[in-house]
Amino acid sequence: MKGSLLSPAVIQKVLDTIQKTYRCGYQLAKQPKREKVLIDYSSPNIAKPFHAGHLRSTLIGNFVAKINSTVGHEVVRINYLGDWGLQFGLLGAGFKRYGSETQLADNPIKHLFDVYVEANKMADKDPVIEREAREFIQSMEQGDSNSLNLWQRFRQYSIEDYIKTYKRLGIEFDEYSGESQYWNKTPQLLEELTTKGLLQTTQKGTQIVDLSDMYTGHSSYATLARSDGTSLYLTRDITAAIDRYDHHKFDRMYYVVDKSQVNHFKQLVGVLRKMGYSWANRIHHIQFGRVTGMKTRRGEVVFLADILDEARTRMLHNMQVTDTTKQLDDPDLTAEQLGISAVILQDFARRLSKDYKFDWDRLLQSQGNTGIFLQYTHARLYSLEQQAGFPLPSSVESIDTSHLGEPEAVDLVAHIAQLDSIVLKAYQEMEPHVIVKYLLQLGHLVSSAHKKLRVKDSPIEIAQARLILFNSARLTLAHGMDILGMKPVNQM
Ligand code: ARG
């Protein structure tokens, strides 16, 4: 839509729609048929580092959840923890030697990680630890209540710790599940596969499903049991998928996991198809590229909270050295929200499948295409409303849109008018960069309009029309930022 072609009547319509929909809660004018959508994201491993892939999964999964609920779908957010397997044996054995109940209660994620690292180191030197680790796993698998209790507490404490950190990002999950829920259901799966004539035993004694009529290369044989009969990551994931379908009868399910697991998810879908589950076609793997160079001042990132702390500290420092920074009610919180927005924008700046290099200096710049620029635009619009000297007109009908004839005003309206189609495009492509690009353009249009169209000291009728325009721009910006997972700030 070319801005200069908009009549006052069209401008009126656009602004009226924005004002009305936001005041009553945003909804797309034309919504797709309502579906039930499951999203498996974040999904870290207990006692192991939270790496860049987990950060991306968390941010992207949150976007996938938000965009799906924005277009009207019912969304179920699932965090599928890596809470089973050999590492738990080491952790259990290690905890008996190096664990501390107080530290577990105070700082569970960090303490379990430290114990695991220590146990791992010692296991290299002392074979007894390896044996204890194996014994711990066996005791869990045999239902020993001491071991299971200990493991249950590791898990519960870690989840509580995670919930706190996710909250800083504005992220919540509907379900915390994990591999531990499925390891003992895998024998049933193997039985079903045998009955359906799909399972073969190799010379090495592993059990596999032949997918070579579907895939070539690494995906063509799916291993589902080790020679000792124990299950694998894939086996547990297939069992979990079947369980999720039984429970939720989903219309779609997304796994938001980095592209290194592409074979894993191809095999997951392949095995389910072979088993005759036609709903396997409803499964999508949202694969994303690798991030390099994600470090904090203390070194390689191991915890999610470290990334958020680092973003906040660096932002706080930047705010202290710039003299334009306002007196803020809660500088820490503002710095945190700005820092997180900056990290998100950097992550969403290009197609998800592309790799990128993490760069603190660049992502925190206040000018250029950054999250800080979007936040700055929002805060500036907010302050403009506060300082107008009169309240926001109650409706668009009460203003005269023929006062919005300047090219800067018309271009801004034309851009705002595209919000719905942009949201739909981002949804169809499942790509947040569509919204990022739109919001950055919006920011630049706001900046031009802000320079030309004074609100204060203009005749009241003109000022009112402009205020409605700027307020509509702010609502549009805030809505887009929310879909990306950013919390707009009013001051900075
Ligand atoms: N815990 C896994 C990892 O860190 C990711 C799990 C993703 N979800 C799934 N259902 N496989 O690699």
Side-chain angles (χ1 to χ4, degrees):
M1 203 180 317
K2 186 73 193 103
S4 50
L5 296 177
L6 298 190
S7 67
V10 172
I11 294 180
Q12 163 116 18
K13 179 100 190 27
V14 172
L15 296 182
D16 191 48
T17 308
I18 292 283
Q19 291 290 325
K20 284 202 179 114
T21 49
Y22 282 108
R23 288 180 194 187
C24 324
Y26 179 85
Q27 263 200 341
L28 275 188
K30 262 202 224 109
Q31 301 201 328
K33 182 181 144 284
R34 188 171 165 86
E35 292 179 352
K36 186 160 192 180
V37 180
L38 267 55
I39 307 159
D40 174 321
Y41 66 110
S42 197
S43 306
N45 304 320
I46 290 179
K48 294 256 190 88
F50 191 100
H51 54 67
H54 293 123
L55 176 68
R56 287 208 84 183
S57 173
T58 309
L59 302 178
I60 296 167
N62 187 42
F63 160 78
V64 174
K66 293 239 180 194
I67 194 91
N68 273 285
S69 63
T70 300
V71 303
H73 294 321
E74 178 189 353
V75 166
V76 182
R77 303 159 173 86
I78 301 176
N79 197 330
Y80 182 75
L81 299 171
D83 58 357
W84 197 253
L86 288 178
Q87 91 246 30
F88 270 91
L90 261 186
L91 190 63
F95 194 80
K96 289 187 181 155
R97 290 168 174 249
Y98 323 110
S100 139
E101 284 293 338
T102 357
Q103 289 186 51
L104 179 65
D106 290 350
N107 214 338
I109 291 183
K110 180 172 186 314
H111 185 55
L112 291 177
F113 177 72
D114 289 344
V115 168
Y116 179 69
V117 169
E118 183 67 21
N120 226 341
K121 225 180 353 186
M122 295 312 285
D124 285 343
K125 296 182 200 146
D126 184 354
V128 176
I129 300 200
E130 269 240 41
R131 205 189 59 221
E132 286 174 6
R134 249 179 288 122
E135 283 168 5
F136 188 84
I137 296 251
Q138 275 165 8
S139 69
M140 281 206 298
E141 295 192 343
Q142 284 156 10
D144 173 74
S145 62
N146 280 335
S147 306
L148 282 174
N149 273 339
L150 187 61
W151 165 84
Q152 186 59 41
R153 280 193 300 131
F154 291 165
R155 187 175 191 274
Q156 200 45 42
Y157 277 130
S158 301
I159 291 177
E160 282 162 21
D161 206 352
Y162 269 119
I163 287 177
K164 276 191 228 146
T165 313
Y166 287 133
K167 197 164 176 203
R168 292 170 66 183
L169 287 164
I171 292 180
E172 275 179 34
F173 289 90
D174 301 300
E175 284 178 21
Y176 278 85
S177 86
E179 298 183 43
S180 64
Q181 291 180 5
Y182 297 103
W183 69 271
N184 61 355
K185 300 199 178 95
T186 54
Q188 273 156 267
L189 176 71
L190 298 180
E191 235 178 81
E192 187 179 340
L193 285 165
T194 311
T195 320
K196 292 184 172 165
L198 295 169
L199 208 61
Q200 300 172 18
T201 306
T202 65
Q203 278 176 346
K204 284 189 217 146
T206 58
Q207 295 185 288
I208 60 162
V209 174
D210 183 352
L211 302 173
S212 58
D213 57 338
M214 290 180 183
Y215 309 127
T216 54
H218 287 308
S219 313
S220 47
Y221 293 93
T223 307
L224 294 183
R226 297 199 181 83
S227 53
D228 63 1
T230 53
S231 68
L232 289 95
Y233 176 51
L234 179 62
T235 331
R236 297 188 283 273
D237 241 344
I238 295 172
T239 316
I242 295 173
D243 185 55
R244 287 176 192 175
Y245 189 74
D246 286 346
H247 256 84
H248 292 288
K249 298 280 181 290
F250 52 79
D251 297 292
R252 253 172 318 137
M253 171 155 70
Y254 293 104
Y255 291 95
V256 188
V257 187
D258 69 88
K259 62 186 176 194
S260 72
Q261 296 197 19
V262 60
N263 282 325
H264 171 81
F265 289 105
K266 272 167 80 175
Q267 293 188 333
L268 175 120
V269 171
V271 173
L272 289 169
R273 275 200 197 128
K274 287 237 172 235
M275 295 177 81
Y277 294 125
S278 58
W279 51 261
N281 298 333
R282 303 179 185 183
I283 293 177
H284 304 270
H285 175 202
I286 299 189
Q287 29 177 310
F288 50 82
R290 260 166 48 89
V291 183
T292 48
M294 192 175 84
K295 289 203 173 64
T296 68
R297 291 206 169 91
R298 290 195 288 144
E300 217 52 62
V301 170
V302 270
F303 308 116
L304 173 58
D306 283 347
I307 310 162
L308 307 187
D309 291 348
E310 182 87 3
R312 181 180 57 202
T313 313
R314 285 185 184 251
M315 194 60 221
L316 211 50
H317 171 79
N318 288 4
M319 285 157 62
Q320 277 152 1
V321 297
T322 37
D323 40 63
T324 51
T325 303
K326 308 237 165 47
Q327 221 30 40
L328 298 171
D329 304 336
D330 188 344
D332 277 8
L333 185 63
T334 307
E336 171 144 320
Q337 289 172 352
L338 294 176
I340 289 171
S341 303
V343 170
I344 293 175
L345 195 126
Q346 165 179 260
D347 202 73
F348 291 174
R350 62 199 75 63
R351 298 196 80 78
L352 294 177
S353 61
K354 294 223 169 108
D355 303 337
Y356 73 88
K357 197 173 166 319
F358 200 96
D359 183 343
W360 283 113
D361 290 329
R362 208 176 46 205
L363 74 94
L364 289 172
Q365 275 166 18
S366 54
Q367 270 139 29
N369 293 335
T370 63
I372 309 297
F373 169 65
L374 291 186
Q375 288 284 14
Y376 171 72
T377 306
H378 187 271
R380 201 171 171 200
L381 286 168
Y382 184 83
S383 129
L384 182 148
E385 286 169 43
Q386 298 304 302
Q387 283 165 13
F390 59 91
L392 185 69
S394 61
S395 74
V396 179
E397 280 105 62
S398 63
I399 62 157
D400 181 355
T401 46
S402 67
H403 293 308
L404 298 173
E406 296 85 354
E408 289 80 7
V410 180
D411 286 347
L412 187 53
V413 174
H415 196 70
I416 291 174
Q418 291 169 38
L419 176 65
D420 263 22
S421 62
I422 290 294
V423 166
L424 266 181
K425 184 165 185 245
Y427 164 72
Q428 279 151 359
E429 297 180 15
M430 223 29 93
E431 285 282 356
H433 78 85
V434 172
I435 291 181
V436 164
K437 190 169 150 218
Y438 173 77
L439 294 184
L440 289 170
Q441 284 166 345
L442 179 65
H444 294 301
L445 290 170
V446 164
S447 161
S448 314
H450 195 268
K451 275 186 211 119
K452 272 282 167 58
L453 313 174
R454 307 251 333 145
V455 172
K456 232 177 155 181
D457 310 326
S458 291
I460 184 70
E461 291 208 338
I462 298 180
Q464 283 183 331
R466 289 178 178 171
L467 193 65
I468 281 271
L469 171 61
F470 283 121
N471 174 262
S472 303
R474 183 168 70 80
L475 295 175
T476 304
L477 178 60
H479 180 66
M481 289 170 78
D482 176 63
I483 296 178
L484 298 177
M486 302 176 183
K487 294 181 205 153
V489 302
N490 293 338
Q491 273 190 316
M492 62 183 275

